[in-house]
Amino acid sequence: MSQLTESPPAPPARPAGSGSMPPRRRPLLDWLDRYDRYILPAPAVIVVVAMLAFPIVYTIYLSFHQWSGGLRPPQWIGLDNFTRALTTGQFWGSLWRTAYFVILSVGLQVVIGVGAALLFHRRFPGRGIARTFFMFPMIATPAAVALVWKMMYDPTIGVFNYLVQSIGGPTLLWTSDANLVIPALAIVDTWMWTPLVMLIVLAGLAALPQEPFEAAKVDGAGPIRTFVSVTLPLLRPVLLVAVLFRLIDAIKTFDIIKVITDGGPGQASETLNLYAFKQGLSYLHFGYGSALLVFLTLLVFGVAIVFTHVRARTEEK
Amino acid sequence: MLPTIRPAVRALAIGLTAVLAASACGSTAGGEGPEFEGDTFDWKRYDGTSLNVYIADTGQVQALRDNLDEFTDLTGITVNIESADVTSYRQNLPVRLTSRASDFDVMATFPEVDGLQFASNGWYTDLGPYIDNPGVTDPEYDFEDFRTGVREAMKVDDQTITVLWEMQTDLVYYRKDLLEQAGLAVPTTFEEWAAAAEAVHDPDNRLYGFALRGIPYQTTTPFSSFLYAHCGQWVDDGGQAVINSPEAVEAYEVYGQLGNNYGPPGIAGFDWPVPSQQFAQGNVFAFLDVNLFVSELEDPSRSRVAGNVGYTTVPRADCDPAPFIGGWGYAINPFSEQRDASWYFIQWATSKQMNLDLKLTGWPSPRASAWESPEFAAGDPTPEFSQVVLDSTENARAQMNPPVTPGVEAREIAGLVANRALEGQTGDQLQQVADQQNEQLQGLLDAMQ
């Protein structure tokens, strides 16, 4: 073996008489050498962990306390904030409104997003420009978008009622009718985030294998049959990712609701996030507000875990 | 390696939490009253100091900024003003005070909303010792120039915690031309207002009879005038919530019916400036709200009804009218290290001259001398409005909200009944909402004990 490899250069011969001296020890440098992969990123890790962990740990800490921010320190009250939430109609109401808003808006986004993706997947003149235009809502600032929509929904001077009335429709109280307000907000969310779903689905469509489509064509399947039996099943993993992204975001929606309705009329659009915000920052019940945010976090976690699980099972098949 | 990192992360998290908790439990800030004790007043005593003023912009901030050089010339104190719109301000201020921020010295406060909670949290500096100390208060300041009702509105628990820069009170704004066309005299009761609103109400032509605020926590301001006129109270003398009493429910019903029958569509979602905006657009015959909209409504570039606006005091019902009186004022951040210099800023910003200057820009001054000054009287574009405001202060009450903490939550609880009434609920249905909300308000009262 040694015949085939080049032998390492021989160490320089020590001067005679110095052979008994041990090599110079550099304990600190050795230690740094050994652990450098942990030491070098440590400052960054500490900052990131503190920024991530601290708000979560502190929110959990506060959720077990009663505190209104005054000179008196937070008082430990155990699980009271959590039991108070679970026994309050307003909490369950806000949870129901969150679910209603999320299901409606994400449902609309998936349907319209897939439709738009199928449309933009085909080649037609001006496709690039049309795609770019379709992306605009996603780029806009939510608070600014919300202000514009708020004006458009105004029952007296808003453009929507002008359109509805010009075709003989009634005066609709978009954001001040308790039954209409959640759908109205879901429309804004849909307008804003459908492009994201479309983008993800477009990417998925581009990556689909062509053989199943050709086979379907040979078998004489029409476009609807091909979509239901070939495209949709193949798109399933991609769709699940899109739905997961949107679900997590929609549960946390805050800005557009805050600006357009502030939870109103009455409490008709007060979602869990808005309820927690009001309790924490408007009424200064920091403990109770934190407990509600813990519930919100658990909800998001739950949804994420369920979807990751479903997706893993889909991929196994 | 992971097991060795885990305890370190845990220790870090615990450490950080402990630091924050410890800082939250720290000692109370600052003492009460001025550090300087003496009887010679000197505007230059704090020459070279720099102050930070954090205030809500209710429309007066530009005028304040324009005059700041004058204050710096007078005192040698430089001032940096940080302003925010009212909603953001309301949300940020408590958070900053909770963290004992000392990066602002003077702050704005609306005692009717913040008062009880801020006082119990130790977030006010008692201004009484400043006002009474001749060493730190200009002999010409004349605190008595603020009328008794206004001085009451500056107090919480008998301590003066703020000096108002404005004086809000309710009144009714109406279109003179429409009232004349209807051949009616200026109404003085709620019934007469309902009749007048009905006479001019013409939704097909986008003309509506009466507008009010609709968002729950915004409604208590105009609703207080309805409540008092119907002999109702928020909380009775025994400390019990009574927003479900027959008087209060009747007041809620009158509020709701007036707005629901004759208001523009979507009235239950109206934020505070919307009634005035709709009125300025010529869509509304009358609205009841605070006295902050005059300069806007009388400006032809912003209002289609300029020159045609009538003003009158809030109506009466079974009891005499009692509009609220209150407003935004300056307070000293108790965590500030420059409280004496802060008081210099406050007394300059609320001085007779500054009040008069603001008054001349159309701002409702809390000082009697501003309203009575010959300079203002000579150029007053709306003497009718001035008279109404002065009349209103005669029988005003410094209480437009339930005297319950947290103020914003109490407003939301009491205001929800008005909101439901605007959506058309009446009778037993409304009584049920009032009972439910009363219970919640009582819950807050009990928690205050």
Side-chain angles (χ1 to χ4, degrees):
Chain A
M1 188 175 97
S2 61
Q3 286 167 343
L4 292 173
T5 54
E6 209 176 305
S7 54
R14 287 168 198 271
S18 67
S20 60
M21 223 178 92
R24 199 156 57 89
R25 287 186 64 87
R26 302 176 303 172
L28 181 65
L29 286 177
D30 286 348
W31 185 83
L32 284 176
D33 270 351
R34 199 174 309 145
Y35 295 110
D36 57 0
R37 63 196 142 145
Y38 304 117
I39 294 163
L40 291 177
V45 169
I46 290 172
V47 170
V48 170
V49 167
M51 302 286 269
L52 284 176
F54 177 73
I56 296 173
V57 172
Y58 192 58
T59 303
I60 294 171
Y61 164 83
L62 276 183
S63 68
F64 293 103
H65 291 76
Q66 185 177 39
W67 192 40
S68 67
L71 299 176
R72 262 173 292 170
Q75 280 176 299
W76 170 266
I77 51 164
L79 290 171
D80 281 10
N81 284 325
F82 295 97
T83 47
R84 179 181 156 195
L86 294 174
T87 51
T88 306
Q90 214 174 336
F91 168 76
W92 292 107
S94 70
L95 205 61
W96 152 244
R97 286 185 284 269
T98 307
Y100 180 25
F101 171 77
V102 168
I103 292 168
L104 192 62
S105 60
V106 176
L108 282 171
Q109 284 159 36
V110 169
V111 172
I112 302 174
V114 170
L118 290 172
L119 182 72
F120 286 119
H121 187 56
R122 291 164 178 270
R123 291 187 182 282
F124 58 86
R127 182 173 74 152
I129 294 174
R131 265 192 197 182
T132 313
F133 268 115
F134 204 74
M135 295 297 153
F136 272 162
M138 207 169 72
I139 307 163
T141 317
V145 164
L147 272 178
V148 174
W149 277 84
K150 186 179 179 172
M151 276 194 278
M152 296 198 298
Y153 275 142
D154 188 284
T156 317
I157 54 169
V159 67
F160 286 124
N161 266 3
Y162 175 77
L163 293 174
V164 171
Q165 283 164 353
S166 63
I167 54 165
T171 302
L172 290 175
L173 306 177
W174 298 93
T175 54
S176 39
D177 179 333
N179 298 318
L180 263 184
V181 64
I182 296 270
L185 290 169
I187 289 174
V188 183
D189 197 60
T190 304
W191 176 82
M192 200 152 180
W193 292 111
T194 300
L196 179 72
V197 178
M198 185 196 80
L199 263 188
I200 298 172
V201 176
L202 260 180
L205 280 173
L208 289 187
Q210 285 309 303
E211 294 83 3
F213 291 95
E214 280 157 16
K217 210 172 180 180
V218 170
D219 289 347
I224 294 175
R225 184 63 200 262
T226 311
F227 175 70
V228 174
S229 304
V230 182
T231 318
L232 263 190
L234 286 174
L235 272 181
R236 205 172 148 184
V238 177
L239 269 180
L240 281 173
V241 171
V243 171
L244 177 65
F245 280 0
R246 283 307 306 135
L247 272 182
I248 290 177
D249 241 19
I251 294 171
K252 297 187 298 177
T253 304
F254 177 77
D255 23 32
I256 58 166
I257 305 178
K258 173 78 184 141
V259 174
I260 297 179
T261 65
D262 197 20
Q267 290 156 345
S269 62
E270 194 179 271
T271 55
L272 184 52
N273 208 351
L274 215 70
Y275 179 43
F277 174 83
K278 278 190 182 175
Q279 289 292 336
L281 291 178
S282 296
Y283 309 161
L284 306 187
H285 300 315
F286 290 119
Y288 185 54
S290 299
L292 293 170
L293 287 174
V294 168
F295 278 124
L296 186 74
T297 312
L298 290 177
L299 186 69
V300 174
F301 261 131
V303 167
I305 289 168
V306 167
F307 262 77
T308 316
H309 190 66
V310 170
R311 189 161 174 266
R313 283 186 55 187
T314 311
E315 280 181 351
E316 274 167 23
K317 279 180 188 172
Chain B
M1 189 61 199
L2 209 61
T4 52
I5 288 181
R6 208 174 287 152
V9 173
R10 195 182 305 147
L12 181 73
I14 293 169
L16 282 168
T17 310
V19 167
L20 219 117
S23 71
C25 308
S27 61
T28 43
E32 296 282 311
E35 281 169 26
F36 180 81
E37 299 290 343
D39 48 16
T40 49
F41 179 75
D42 173 13
W43 275 114
K44 289 280 186 199
R45 182 169 296 126
Y46 301 103
D47 192 354
T49 311
S50 176
L51 287 178
N52 289 310
V53 175
Y54 181 41
I55 48 175
D57 186 2
T58 55
Q60 84 301 357
V61 168
Q62 196 48 48
L64 187 68
R65 280 187 214 277
D66 292 345
N67 287 304
L68 273 184
D69 288 346
E70 191 190 294
F71 176 66
T72 306
D73 290 346
L74 178 71
T75 59
I77 300 171
T78 50
V79 177
N80 172 42
I81 293 182
E82 183 192 350
S83 66
D85 68 278
V86 173
T87 310
S88 323
Y89 181 83
R90 278 245 159 81
Q91 274 152 10
N92 289 338
L93 181 67
V95 176
R96 288 173 78 165
L97 285 168
T98 296
S99 67
R100 289 150 194 269
S102 58
D103 58 336
F104 60 97
D105 307 289
V106 176
M107 60 190 187
T109 185
F110 198 117
E112 263 295 287
V113 181
D114 320 317
L116 288 171
Q117 181 161 35
F118 278 32
S120 69
N121 280 353
W123 289 345
Y124 283 135
T125 301
D126 183 5
L127 298 183
Y130 287 88
I131 297 164
D132 298 337
N133 183 338
V136 292
T137 299
D138 182 6
E140 289 173 21
Y141 184 58
D142 192 7
F143 192 60
E144 305 291 310
D145 185 31
F146 296 97
R147 290 173 191 227
T148 317
V150 180
R151 289 208 304 272
E152 280 305 309
M154 298 177 185
K155 287 182 181 172
V156 175
D157 294 338
D158 287 332
Q159 278 191 357
T160 301
I161 47 83
T162 183
V163 182
L164 301 189
W165 74 66
E166 62 171 28
M167 181 182 67
Q168 291 189 24
T169 183
D170 277 345
L171 70 144
V172 182
Y173 302 75
Y174 63 93
R175 289 261 301 270
K176 284 180 177 170
D177 56 338
L178 294 175
L179 192 70
E180 206 172 300
Q181 275 170 33
L184 295 168
V186 179
T188 57
T189 65
F190 285 104
E191 280 175 3
E192 287 172 10
W193 271 114
E198 189 177 11
V200 297
H201 189 59
D202 184 8
D204 292 341
N205 289 313
R206 293 199 178 196
L207 178 63
Y208 305 96
F210 211 96
L212 289 160
R213 301 185 192 187
I215 288 179
Y217 84 96
Q218 296 280 4
T219 54
T220 51
T221 307
F223 173 71
S224 65
S225 292
F226 286 69
L227 182 71
Y228 298 142
H230 287 88
C231 320
Q233 284 177 291
W234 305 107
V235 175
D236 69 12
D237 300 337
Q240 297 297 304
V242 283
I243 57 169
N244 62 342
S245 68
E247 295 84 9
V249 174
E250 194 191 344
Y252 278 122
E253 205 162 286
V254 169
Y255 188 90
Q257 290 295 298
L258 195 57
N260 187 46
N261 293 342
Y262 312 115
I267 192 168
F270 279 11
D271 205 347
W272 67 273
V274 181
S276 71
Q277 287 164 354
Q278 297 256 7
F279 184 79
Q281 301 229 349
N283 293 338
V284 163
F285 159 61
F287 75 105
L288 189 159
D289 214 309
V290 292
N291 55 340
L292 298 179
F293 307 110
V294 180
S295 48
E296 194 180 306
L297 293 178
E298 295 290 358
D299 177 352
S301 68
R302 290 193 285 173
S303 160
R304 289 183 183 171
V305 293
N308 197 14
V309 187
Y311 307 91
T312 185
T313 46
V314 298
R316 72 184 303 279
D318 300 328
C319 281
D320 285 332
F324 85 90
I325 191 166
W328 283 94
Y330 298 104
I332 299 178
N333 176 5
F335 309 109
S336 157
E337 282 156 11
Q338 303 181 91
R339 293 193 297 277
D340 286 9
S342 299
W343 170 243
Y344 271 44
F345 172 80
I346 293 178
Q347 57 176 312
W348 167 79
T350 58
S351 64
K352 283 185 177 172
Q353 189 57 48
M354 271 298 286
N355 261 277
L356 178 59
D357 290 350
L358 262 181
K359 182 78 210 76
L360 293 172
T361 67
W363 211 246
S365 171
R367 275 187 180 269
S369 61
W371 294 87
E372 289 158 3
S373 88
E375 197 182 338
F376 171 66
D380 186 359
T382 51
E384 190 189 346
F385 166 78
S386 303
Q387 195 53 51
V388 166
V389 172
L390 287 178
D391 290 349
S392 298
T393 59
E394 298 283 313
N395 49 0
R397 284 191 207 180
Q399 205 169 73
M400 67 167 184
N401 293 310
V404 180
T405 62
V408 179
E409 190 174 10
R411 270 164 77 95
E412 190 118 9
I413 289 171
L416 188 78
V417 192
N419 174 271
R420 290 286 148 82
L422 281 177
E423 284 178 351
Q425 295 193 5
T426 54
D428 288 349
Q429 207 183 10
L430 191 65
Q431 179 72 49
Q432 210 179 328
V433 178
D435 288 343
Q436 200 182 314
Q437 297 304 99
N438 195 65
E439 201 179 311
Q440 282 201 35
L441 195 63
Q442 187 61 45
L444 289 188
L445 275 165
D446 294 342
M448 281 167 68
Q449 303 304 320

